[in-house]
Amino acid sequence: MNWTYWTRGIANGAAGLLLGALTLTAAGQGAPPATASHANAQDWWKNAVLYEIYPRSFQDSNGDGVGDLKGISQRMDYLKDLGVDAIWLTPVYPSPQADFGYDISDYENIDPKYGTLADFDQLIAAANKRHIRVIMDMVMNHTSDEHKWFQQSRASRENPYRDWYMWRDGKGETATDPGQPPNNWQSAFGHSAWQWDEKTRQYYYHKFYVRQPDLNWDNPKVHEAFKEIVRFWLKRGVAGFRFDAITTLFEDPKLADEGAVKDKDGKPLMNAFGEPVLDNSKTDNLPGVHPVMQEMRGVFDEFGSGGFPGTRLLIGETYVPNIVELAKQYGPPGKPEFHLPMDTQLAFINKLDVAAFRGKLVDVETQIGAHTPLLLFDNHDNPRMDARYGDGVHDTEIERALAAVLFASRGASLFYYGDEIGMKTTPPARKEDVKDPVGVTGWPKEKGRDGERTPMQWDVRPNAGFTDQFSKPWLPVPADARAANVEVEKMNPNSLFAWYQRLIRLKKTNPALALGDETMLDTTNSRVLSWKRTAAGSPSVVVSVNFTAEPQTVNLGAAGKLRTLLKSPGGADASALDQIVLAPFGVFIGEVQ
Ligand code: GLC
């Protein structure tokens, strides 16, 4: 199985980084602001536009160089103007920040770096006032080593919390020697997933960083604790959660070794940490996770679906190897699990391959039943789109093309802060500048995730308006920020920002694009991806996206006149289905008359 927890560690056909005048028709121009018009409280999420915020990097309000909750609240009008339905905040709970919040030491509070519970309540109020929902991140695979549960657990073998984590004996241990770890399992952050703890003379398991010990999900007390935590926040008005690293909740109880992944010549594939890539068969996507998700979904459903925020949404970070496994994440009939497990299959194709895109889009139309796909291309764990899809010449056009796939396909759409202004991956140049533990361990082959976490580029001021000019941002502001920022892009009707805004409005207001069925068109074309959206009682919409650097002309059928809804800058209007002319990486969206 050529797959690891994140895609970044494998050769997926992508660039080296992996290892390492908007033209509008009358219809588009004066489109009403994005509303939830096509989704009632119960179904709001089915064509939701979701925006991921990495709070450290969005907006600093107090000059400490780290983004915070007040900063996000200050930018709420921007988010409203962009047209998003919900924001997902990566973890803001108290944390030693060893993995920048994914190592939680208290699940029912806010880290002082980001603010207070009162600031959080104000953030929800500011968002809700603008009809924006707030989604939190929930990390249930592991806690911080500073969490009181783990402090107890490591105190003695008899401690009541001992069994909340995964403690095991090593191999060949003697009174003076810890011996070897129980098996060959590796941390996603490099090296053995087992850490010797001298005090009680056993190893604990950590799928991620050594400071993120895995919880034991065979212990019912762990289930109860998390159900209470989830209720705590849902009661506060949170509209849902993104469950982190959820496929890694369970491990093989026999602790069998994992197999090594081979390259095409039969040699073991090596990762950036200098170790063989393992197949994750004993530590990821084990079936035990499904009953737990059914139990958790029950907690969400306790809150009903009326009023605002309506249905409480369960989103999954679901890196699974294929559509069959993705389909399972929705739960079997009558036993729902995730509303929206992320479609990482589409997200990380990592090359502009029309057939591959078409195949993945057909998969979610044909193999997940009546469920809703959650499409995305970007997040805080992978190099940004420029590094995975760009060609260095047409990056903006390519990002426009991907945005068209993201927003004009059926489903909910998720994007990452800065995508809308084409922020670029900016990895650290020197080891001493690296902040992410993945980069600290993997340097120089694996530079870590700092490159996709740089401060939001708001305006032309020093530090791009992320923090004041006297402060030092926690990660450097990229050099291109003076040219590529919100202020500049908002003034330009041809900007990527304007393109995102138009696409989002179309998705929310055009009935066929909002919730219509989807059919692929011109399915043998290897240069242009085309599809049709149809909804009863309203005109169908066709979308064509050129995946090449040359102009292309497509014929989507003889009968049918077209009216342009949206086209790339420099693109031509099309009035008939049999003659759609596309600029390099151009997009055309038209209504069939
Ligand atoms: C998820 C998060 C990632 C984090 C890891 C461990 O994959 O997205 O940022 O490091 O889980 O919590």
mmCIF file with all atom_site columns, all heavy atoms in Angstrom, residues 63-81:
data_model
loop_
_atom_site.group_PDB
_atom_site.id
_atom_site.type_symbol
_atom_site.label_atom_id
_atom_site.label_alt_id
_atom_site.label_comp_id
_atom_site.label_asym_id
_atom_site.label_entity_id
_atom_site.label_seq_id
_atom_site.pdbx_PDB_ins_code
_atom_site.Cartn_x
_atom_site.Cartn_y
_atom_site.Cartn_z
_atom_site.occupancy
_atom_site.B_iso_or_equiv
_atom_site.pdbx_formal_charge
_atom_site.auth_seq_id
_atom_site.auth_comp_id
_atom_site.auth_asym_id
_atom_site.auth_atom_id
_atom_site.pdbx_PDB_model_num
ATOM 1   N N   . GLY A 1 63 ? 0.410   41.995 19.794 1.00 0.00 ? 63 GLY A N   1
ATOM 2   C CA  . GLY A 1 63 ? 1.825   42.296 19.537 1.00 0.00 ? 63 GLY A CA  1
ATOM 3   C C   . GLY A 1 63 ? 2.812   41.294 20.097 1.00 0.00 ? 63 GLY A C   1
ATOM 4   O O   . GLY A 1 63 ? 3.967   41.638 20.317 1.00 0.00 ? 63 GLY A O   1
ATOM 5   N N   . ASP A 1 64 ? 2.384   40.049 20.332 1.00 0.00 ? 64 ASP A N   1
ATOM 6   C CA  . ASP A 1 64 ? 3.377   39.058 20.772 1.00 0.00 ? 64 ASP A CA  1
ATOM 7   C C   . ASP A 1 64 ? 3.865   38.183 19.616 1.00 0.00 ? 64 ASP A C   1
ATOM 8   O O   . ASP A 1 64 ? 4.587   37.218 19.815 1.00 0.00 ? 64 ASP A O   1
ATOM 9   C CB  . ASP A 1 64 ? 2.833   38.201 21.934 1.00 0.00 ? 64 ASP A CB  1
ATOM 10  C CG  . ASP A 1 64 ? 1.657   37.330 21.519 1.00 0.00 ? 64 ASP A CG  1
ATOM 11  O OD1 . ASP A 1 64 ? 1.215   37.420 20.347 1.00 0.00 ? 64 ASP A OD1 1
ATOM 12  O OD2 . ASP A 1 64 ? 1.176   36.549 22.367 1.00 0.00 ? 64 ASP A OD2 1
ATOM 13  N N   . GLY A 1 65 ? 3.419   38.509 18.415 1.00 0.00 ? 65 GLY A N   1
ATOM 14  C CA  . GLY A 1 65 ? 3.915   37.775 17.245 1.00 0.00 ? 65 GLY A CA  1
ATOM 15  C C   . GLY A 1 65 ? 3.191   36.474 16.978 1.00 0.00 ? 65 GLY A C   1
ATOM 16  O O   . GLY A 1 65 ? 3.511   35.764 16.039 1.00 0.00 ? 65 GLY A O   1
ATOM 17  N N   . VAL A 1 66 ? 2.193   36.178 17.832 1.00 0.00 ? 66 VAL A N   1
ATOM 18  C CA  . VAL A 1 66 ? 1.419   34.948 17.663 1.00 0.00 ? 66 VAL A CA  1
ATOM 19  C C   . VAL A 1 66 ? -0.050  35.340 17.476 1.00 0.00 ? 66 VAL A C   1
ATOM 20  O O   . VAL A 1 66 ? -0.579  36.155 18.255 1.00 0.00 ? 66 VAL A O   1
ATOM 21  C CB  . VAL A 1 66 ? 1.574   34.041 18.913 1.00 0.00 ? 66 VAL A CB  1
ATOM 22  C CG1 . VAL A 1 66 ? 0.640   32.852 18.848 1.00 0.00 ? 66 VAL A CG1 1
ATOM 23  C CG2 . VAL A 1 66 ? 3.014   33.572 19.053 1.00 0.00 ? 66 VAL A CG2 1
ATOM 24  N N   . GLY A 1 67 ? -0.696  34.781 16.490 1.00 0.00 ? 67 GLY A N   1
ATOM 25  C CA  . GLY A 1 67 ? -2.111  35.077 16.252 1.00 0.00 ? 67 GLY A CA  1
ATOM 26  C C   . GLY A 1 67 ? -2.960  34.660 17.444 1.00 0.00 ? 67 GLY A C   1
ATOM 27  O O   . GLY A 1 67 ? -2.552  33.837 18.257 1.00 0.00 ? 67 GLY A O   1
ATOM 28  N N   . ASP A 1 68 ? -4.158  35.227 17.560 1.00 0.00 ? 68 ASP A N   1
ATOM 29  C CA  . ASP A 1 68 ? -4.994  34.929 18.728 1.00 0.00 ? 68 ASP A CA  1
ATOM 30  C C   . ASP A 1 68 ? -6.477  35.065 18.389 1.00 0.00 ? 68 ASP A C   1
ATOM 31  O O   . ASP A 1 68 ? -6.839  35.460 17.275 1.00 0.00 ? 68 ASP A O   1
ATOM 32  C CB  . ASP A 1 68 ? -4.591  35.842 19.904 1.00 0.00 ? 68 ASP A CB  1
ATOM 33  C CG  . ASP A 1 68 ? -4.439  37.290 19.476 1.00 0.00 ? 68 ASP A CG  1
ATOM 34  O OD1 . ASP A 1 68 ? -5.359  37.784 18.786 1.00 0.00 ? 68 ASP A OD1 1
ATOM 35  O OD2 . ASP A 1 68 ? -3.420  37.927 19.800 1.00 0.00 ? 68 ASP A OD2 1
ATOM 36  N N   . LEU A 1 69 ? -7.311  34.737 19.375 1.00 0.00 ? 69 LEU A N   1
ATOM 37  C CA  . LEU A 1 69 ? -8.760  34.725 19.141 1.00 0.00 ? 69 LEU A CA  1
ATOM 38  C C   . LEU A 1 69 ? -9.308  36.120 18.847 1.00 0.00 ? 69 LEU A C   1
ATOM 39  O O   . LEU A 1 69 ? -10.154 36.296 17.961 1.00 0.00 ? 69 LEU A O   1
ATOM 40  C CB  . LEU A 1 69 ? -9.490  34.126 20.345 1.00 0.00 ? 69 LEU A CB  1
ATOM 41  C CG  . LEU A 1 69 ? -9.167  32.674 20.678 1.00 0.00 ? 69 LEU A CG  1
ATOM 42  C CD1 . LEU A 1 69 ? -10.023 32.198 21.852 1.00 0.00 ? 69 LEU A CD1 1
ATOM 43  C CD2 . LEU A 1 69 ? -9.391  31.762 19.479 1.00 0.00 ? 69 LEU A CD2 1
ATOM 44  N N   . LYS A 1 70 ? -8.829  37.112 19.608 1.00 0.00 ? 70 LYS A N   1
ATOM 45  C CA  . LYS A 1 70 ? -9.304  38.483 19.344 1.00 0.00 ? 70 LYS A CA  1
ATOM 46  C C   . LYS A 1 70 ? -8.969  38.890 17.920 1.00 0.00 ? 70 LYS A C   1
ATOM 47  O O   . LYS A 1 70 ? -9.741  39.569 17.255 1.00 0.00 ? 70 LYS A O   1
ATOM 48  C CB  . LYS A 1 70 ? -8.656  39.472 20.318 1.00 0.00 ? 70 LYS A CB  1
ATOM 49  C CG  . LYS A 1 70 ? -9.334  39.521 21.678 1.00 0.00 ? 70 LYS A CG  1
ATOM 50  C CD  . LYS A 1 70 ? -8.941  40.804 22.408 1.00 0.00 ? 70 LYS A CD  1
ATOM 51  C CE  . LYS A 1 70 ? -9.738  40.951 23.675 1.00 0.00 ? 70 LYS A CE  1
ATOM 52  N NZ  . LYS A 1 70 ? -8.894  41.068 24.871 1.00 0.00 ? 70 LYS A NZ  1
ATOM 53  N N   . GLY A 1 71 ? -7.812  38.457 17.462 1.00 0.00 ? 71 GLY A N   1
ATOM 54  C CA  . GLY A 1 71 ? -7.405  38.757 16.083 1.00 0.00 ? 71 GLY A CA  1
ATOM 55  C C   . GLY A 1 71 ? -8.396  38.172 15.089 1.00 0.00 ? 71 GLY A C   1
ATOM 56  O O   . GLY A 1 71 ? -8.797  38.826 14.123 1.00 0.00 ? 71 GLY A O   1
ATOM 57  N N   . ILE A 1 72 ? -8.799  36.929 15.338 1.00 0.00 ? 72 ILE A N   1
ATOM 58  C CA  . ILE A 1 72 ? -9.763  36.302 14.421 1.00 0.00 ? 72 ILE A CA  1
ATOM 59  C C   . ILE A 1 72 ? -11.077 37.074 14.446 1.00 0.00 ? 72 ILE A C   1
ATOM 60  O O   . ILE A 1 72 ? -11.673 37.356 13.402 1.00 0.00 ? 72 ILE A O   1
ATOM 61  C CB  . ILE A 1 72 ? -9.973  34.814 14.787 1.00 0.00 ? 72 ILE A CB  1
ATOM 62  C CG1 . ILE A 1 72 ? -8.652  34.039 14.645 1.00 0.00 ? 72 ILE A CG1 1
ATOM 63  C CG2 . ILE A 1 72 ? -11.048 34.184 13.899 1.00 0.00 ? 72 ILE A CG2 1
ATOM 64  C CD1 . ILE A 1 72 ? -8.698  32.619 15.208 1.00 0.00 ? 72 ILE A CD1 1
ATOM 65  N N   . SER A 1 73 ? -11.523 37.441 15.654 1.00 0.00 ? 73 SER A N   1
ATOM 66  C CA  . SER A 1 73 ? -12.781 38.217 15.763 1.00 0.00 ? 73 SER A CA  1
ATOM 67  C C   . SER A 1 73 ? -12.691 39.515 14.976 1.00 0.00 ? 73 SER A C   1
ATOM 68  O O   . SER A 1 73 ? -13.651 39.927 14.315 1.00 0.00 ? 73 SER A O   1
ATOM 69  C CB  . SER A 1 73 ? -13.096 38.538 17.229 1.00 0.00 ? 73 SER A CB  1
ATOM 70  O OG  . SER A 1 73 ? -13.353 37.351 17.928 1.00 0.00 ? 73 SER A OG  1
ATOM 71  N N   . GLN A 1 74 ? -11.517 40.147 15.031 1.00 0.00 ? 74 GLN A N   1
ATOM 72  C CA  . GLN A 1 74 ? -11.350 41.411 14.291 1.00 0.00 ? 74 GLN A CA  1
ATOM 73  C C   . GLN A 1 74 ? -11.476 41.232 12.782 1.00 0.00 ? 74 GLN A C   1
ATOM 74  O O   . GLN A 1 74 ? -11.770 42.171 12.057 1.00 0.00 ? 74 GLN A O   1
ATOM 75  C CB  . GLN A 1 74 ? -9.973  42.022 14.594 1.00 0.00 ? 74 GLN A CB  1
ATOM 76  C CG  . GLN A 1 74 ? -9.867  42.616 15.979 1.00 0.00 ? 74 GLN A CG  1
ATOM 77  C CD  . GLN A 1 74 ? -8.414  42.884 16.385 1.00 0.00 ? 74 GLN A CD  1
ATOM 78  O OE1 . GLN A 1 74 ? -7.492  42.786 15.581 1.00 0.00 ? 74 GLN A OE1 1
ATOM 79  N NE2 . GLN A 1 74 ? -8.212  43.209 17.654 1.00 0.00 ? 74 GLN A NE2 1
ATOM 80  N N   . ARG A 1 75 ? -11.220 40.032 12.324 1.00 0.00 ? 75 ARG A N   1
ATOM 81  C CA  . ARG A 1 75 ? -11.247 39.777 10.869 1.00 0.00 ? 75 ARG A CA  1
ATOM 82  C C   . ARG A 1 75 ? -12.558 39.147 10.405 1.00 0.00 ? 75 ARG A C   1
ATOM 83  O O   . ARG A 1 75 ? -12.652 38.654 9.288  1.00 0.00 ? 75 ARG A O   1
ATOM 84  C CB  . ARG A 1 75 ? -10.078 38.867 10.488 1.00 0.00 ? 75 ARG A CB  1
ATOM 85  C CG  . ARG A 1 75 ? -8.711  39.508 10.675 1.00 0.00 ? 75 ARG A CG  1
ATOM 86  C CD  . ARG A 1 75 ? -8.508  40.672 9.733  1.00 0.00 ? 75 ARG A CD  1
ATOM 87  N NE  . ARG A 1 75 ? -7.151  41.221 9.832  1.00 0.00 ? 75 ARG A NE  1
ATOM 88  C CZ  . ARG A 1 75 ? -6.715  42.244 9.122  1.00 0.00 ? 75 ARG A CZ  1
ATOM 89  N NH1 . ARG A 1 75 ? -7.527  42.860 8.266  1.00 0.00 ? 75 ARG A NH1 1
ATOM 90  N NH2 . ARG A 1 75 ? -5.486  42.684 9.253  1.00 0.00 ? 75 ARG A NH2 1
ATOM 91  N N   . MET A 1 76 ? -13.563 39.191 11.243 1.00 0.00 ? 76 MET A N   1
ATOM 92  C CA  . MET A 1 76 ? -14.807 38.496 10.912 1.00 0.00 ? 76 MET A CA  1
ATOM 93  C C   . MET A 1 76 ? -15.504 39.099 9.688  1.00 0.00 ? 76 MET A C   1
ATOM 94  O O   . MET A 1 76 ? -16.099 38.376 8.893  1.00 0.00 ? 76 MET A O   1
ATOM 95  C CB  . MET A 1 76 ? -15.731 38.507 12.125 1.00 0.00 ? 76 MET A CB  1
ATOM 96  C CG  . MET A 1 76 ? -16.603 37.305 12.254 1.00 0.00 ? 76 MET A CG  1
ATOM 97  S SD  . MET A 1 76 ? -15.762 35.703 12.177 1.00 0.00 ? 76 MET A SD  1
ATOM 98  C CE  . MET A 1 76 ? -15.228 35.469 13.864 1.00 0.00 ? 76 MET A CE  1
ATOM 99  N N   . ASP A 1 77 ? -15.400 40.426 9.527  1.00 0.00 ? 77 ASP A N   1
ATOM 100 C CA  . ASP A 1 77 ? -16.035 41.021 8.348  1.00 0.00 ? 77 ASP A CA  1
ATOM 101 C C   . ASP A 1 77 ? -15.368 40.534 7.059  1.00 0.00 ? 77 ASP A C   1
ATOM 102 O O   . ASP A 1 77 ? -16.020 40.372 6.029  1.00 0.00 ? 77 ASP A O   1
ATOM 103 C CB  . ASP A 1 77 ? -15.990 42.554 8.415  1.00 0.00 ? 77 ASP A CB  1
ATOM 104 C CG  . ASP A 1 77 ? -17.049 43.089 9.374  1.00 0.00 ? 77 ASP A CG  1
ATOM 105 O OD1 . ASP A 1 77 ? -18.090 42.401 9.558  1.00 0.00 ? 77 ASP A OD1 1
ATOM 106 O OD2 . ASP A 1 77 ? -16.836 44.162 9.952  1.00 0.00 ? 77 ASP A OD2 1
ATOM 107 N N   . TYR A 1 78 ? -14.081 40.332 7.142  1.00 0.00 ? 78 TYR A N   1
ATOM 108 C CA  . TYR A 1 78 ? -13.367 39.795 5.974  1.00 0.00 ? 78 TYR A CA  1
ATOM 109 C C   . TYR A 1 78 ? -13.938 38.424 5.592  1.00 0.00 ? 78 TYR A C   1
ATOM 110 O O   . TYR A 1 78 ? -14.188 38.136 4.413  1.00 0.00 ? 78 TYR A O   1
ATOM 111 C CB  . TYR A 1 78 ? -11.868 39.677 6.298  1.00 0.00 ? 78 TYR A CB  1
ATOM 112 C CG  . TYR A 1 78 ? -11.094 38.897 5.258  1.00 0.00 ? 78 TYR A CG  1
ATOM 113 C CD1 . TYR A 1 78 ? -10.757 39.471 4.043  1.00 0.00 ? 78 TYR A CD1 1
ATOM 114 C CD2 . TYR A 1 78 ? -10.718 37.568 5.487  1.00 0.00 ? 78 TYR A CD2 1
ATOM 115 C CE1 . TYR A 1 78 ? -10.067 38.748 3.068  1.00 0.00 ? 78 TYR A CE1 1
ATOM 116 C CE2 . TYR A 1 78 ? -10.030 36.842 4.530  1.00 0.00 ? 78 TYR A CE2 1
ATOM 117 C CZ  . TYR A 1 78 ? -9.702  37.439 3.319  1.00 0.00 ? 78 TYR A CZ  1
ATOM 118 O OH  . TYR A 1 78 ? -9.028  36.718 2.360  1.00 0.00 ? 78 TYR A OH  1
ATOM 119 N N   . LEU A 1 79 ? -14.151 37.588 6.602  1.00 0.00 ? 79 LEU A N   1
ATOM 120 C CA  . LEU A 1 79 ? -14.637 36.222 6.347  1.00 0.00 ? 79 LEU A CA  1
ATOM 121 C C   . LEU A 1 79 ? -16.057 36.258 5.794  1.00 0.00 ? 79 LEU A C   1
ATOM 122 O O   . LEU A 1 79 ? -16.425 35.483 4.913  1.00 0.00 ? 79 LEU A O   1
ATOM 123 C CB  . LEU A 1 79 ? -14.561 35.397 7.634  1.00 0.00 ? 79 LEU A CB  1
ATOM 124 C CG  . LEU A 1 79 ? -13.130 35.233 8.164  1.00 0.00 ? 79 LEU A CG  1
ATOM 125 C CD1 . LEU A 1 79 ? -13.133 34.691 9.588  1.00 0.00 ? 79 LEU A CD1 1
ATOM 126 C CD2 . LEU A 1 79 ? -12.322 34.315 7.248  1.00 0.00 ? 79 LEU A CD2 1
ATOM 127 N N   . LYS A 1 80 ? -16.822 37.191 6.310  1.00 0.00 ? 80 LYS A N   1
ATOM 128 C CA  . LYS A 1 80 ? -18.197 37.366 5.815  1.00 0.00 ? 80 LYS A CA  1
ATOM 129 C C   . LYS A 1 80 ? -18.169 37.781 4.339  1.00 0.00 ? 80 LYS A C   1
ATOM 130 O O   . LYS A 1 80 ? -18.886 37.251 3.491  1.00 0.00 ? 80 LYS A O   1
ATOM 131 C CB  . LYS A 1 80 ? -18.890 38.445 6.661  1.00 0.00 ? 80 LYS A CB  1
ATOM 132 C CG  . LYS A 1 80 ? -20.269 38.810 6.199  1.00 0.00 ? 80 LYS A CG  1
ATOM 133 C CD  . LYS A 1 80 ? -21.227 37.712 6.537  1.00 0.00 ? 80 LYS A CD  1
ATOM 134 C CE  . LYS A 1 80 ? -22.578 37.918 5.923  1.00 0.00 ? 80 LYS A CE  1
ATOM 135 N NZ  . LYS A 1 80 ? -23.335 36.669 5.904  1.00 0.00 ? 80 LYS A NZ  1
ATOM 136 N N   . ASP A 1 81 ? -17.306 38.719 4.049  1.00 0.00 ? 81 ASP A N   1
ATOM 137 C CA  . ASP A 1 81 ? -17.180 39.243 2.690  1.00 0.00 ? 81 ASP A CA  1
ATOM 138 C C   . ASP A 1 81 ? -16.708 38.148 1.708  1.00 0.00 ? 81 ASP A C   1
ATOM 139 O O   . ASP A 1 81 ? -17.139 38.080 0.565  1.00 0.00 ? 81 ASP A O   1
ATOM 140 C CB  . ASP A 1 81 ? -16.161 40.389 2.762  1.00 0.00 ? 81 ASP A CB  1
ATOM 141 C CG  . ASP A 1 81 ? -16.116 41.196 1.496  1.00 0.00 ? 81 ASP A CG  1
ATOM 142 O OD1 . ASP A 1 81 ? -17.191 41.383 0.902  1.00 0.00 ? 81 ASP A OD1 1
ATOM 143 O OD2 . ASP A 1 81 ? -15.016 41.630 1.100  1.00 0.00 ? 81 ASP A OD2 1
#
